[in-house]
Amino acid sequence: MAENRPARSGQTAKRAVKKSAKKAAPRPSVRRGPEHAARAACESLERLICHAAEGVSAVRRKDDGWCVVVDVLEVPRIPDTTSLLASYEVRIDERGELTEYSRVRRYRRGSADE
């Protein structure tokens, strides 16, 4: 035997799904991970010093946020192996805001680490 239930309209069904999805979704964590810290550090530093970030060479958790070492192309040259790069230590708080930065090293792209 078939039950006599009123058919749900498309709108009502969508609302029911949205409500159940909202209840089941976990709350976002206040603490964000190293990927977020690295991205925030690169974006903030690029805006401040007007040089493009080449990459991130270190991310460390600190009591009040993150310490990220961002490698930046400061002086592009031809050939590329003679370009000057720099490593900046960038401090990011829990919200992803830059709190301080400093250049800790400057080097030629073609040079090996010592």
Side-chain angles (χ1 to χ4, degrees):
M1 281 200 217
E3 290 184 32
N4 291 338
R5 285 188 192 170
R8 280 187 159 172
S9 71
Q11 287 290 50
T12 307
K14 286 179 185 176
R15 283 190 207 132
V17 170
K18 283 183 181 178
K19 284 182 181 179
S20 65
K22 284 182 183 177
K23 290 179 183 176
R27 288 183 158 195
S29 175
V30 173
R31 295 183 107 174
R32 295 184 174 162
E35 297 90 356
H36 177 266
R39 192 174 315 111
C42 288
E43 291 170 0
S44 296
L45 186 64
E46 284 178 342
R47 283 192 304 270
L48 283 170
I49 66 173
C50 299
H51 292 298
E54 290 277 309
V56 171
S57 54
V59 178
R60 289 185 301 276
R61 185 87 170 109
K62 296 290 186 177
D63 292 335
D64 58 345
W66 297 89
C67 178
V68 182
V69 178
V70 179
D71 299 315
V72 172
L73 176 62
E74 287 195 334
V75 182
R77 292 186 178 156
I78 298 174
D80 192 45
T81 54
T82 61
S83 294
L84 290 178
L85 286 91
S87 295
Y88 285 83
E89 191 171 275
V90 181
R91 303 260 178 171
I92 300 292
D93 66 13
E94 289 292 335
R95 296 180 322 237
E97 299 291 323
L98 186 143
T99 57
E100 69 177 87
Y101 77 94
S102 63
R103 185 169 64 191
V104 293
R105 179 176 175 232
R106 198 167 192 201
Y107 58 97
R108 275 186 295 119
R109 185 185 297 276
S111 67
D113 283 348
E114 296 177 19

